Amino acid sequence: MPDVRGCHLPDDLLYDVDNNIWYREAGDGNIQVGMTAVAVAMAGQLVAYTPKRVGRTVKPGKSCATVESGKWVGPAKLASGGEVLEINEALVATPSLANDDPYTAGWLLKVQPEEWDSIKPQLITGAAITAAFEAKMQADAFVGCEAAAA
């Protein structure tokens, strides 16, 4: 698993680096979506997670949820549009799950994506993750996950 400035980035996921969002293909044509360790470290301790409702359609590049911490409120944007199939009710009840475990317990929602085959090649995976996130952290003047937790 790549590690950039103390931020873990599983190499089996697809990443929208600009929006700090990860995607996991479910094998049934649907995708699970979450915030990266970089995103939750930059935001700080999450205090609220308000997803779009099940059945709603999200347009490409638009928010699928609003996430709030003590120092930040903002959108979680989807690279691909699609219908919201499931939301993480545990995360609604306990937003800090994303801080503790952003890739398993802290997922945001599941989506039936539109035009996934054209969006997927634009996402980053594998060996390219490290360089892409290093550049993003540099541009954002973010020192890293371990320093942010201190």
Side-chain angles (χ1 to χ4, degrees), residues 24-101:
R24 178 180 289 126
E25 294 180 296
D28 59 2
N30 299 317
I31 54 173
Q32 188 178 47
V33 179
M35 293 171 49
T36 65
V38 176
V40 295
M42 289 175 75
Q45 193 69 20
L46 299 185
V47 297
Y49 160 63
T50 308
K52 297 286 185 192
R53 291 188 303 267
V54 170
R56 294 283 309 260
T57 298
V58 178
K59 292 183 180 183
K62 298 298 181 183
S63 176
C64 65
T66 300
V67 182
E68 181 178 350
S69 72
K71 60 182 180 179
W72 181 81
V73 176
K77 295 180 181 180
L78 284 182
S80 88
E83 180 184 346
V84 176
L85 301 175
E86 182 181 347
I87 60 172
N88 185 348
E89 295 288 354
L91 190 62
V92 172
T94 311
S96 63
L97 284 174
N99 295 94
D100 300 334
D101 187 4

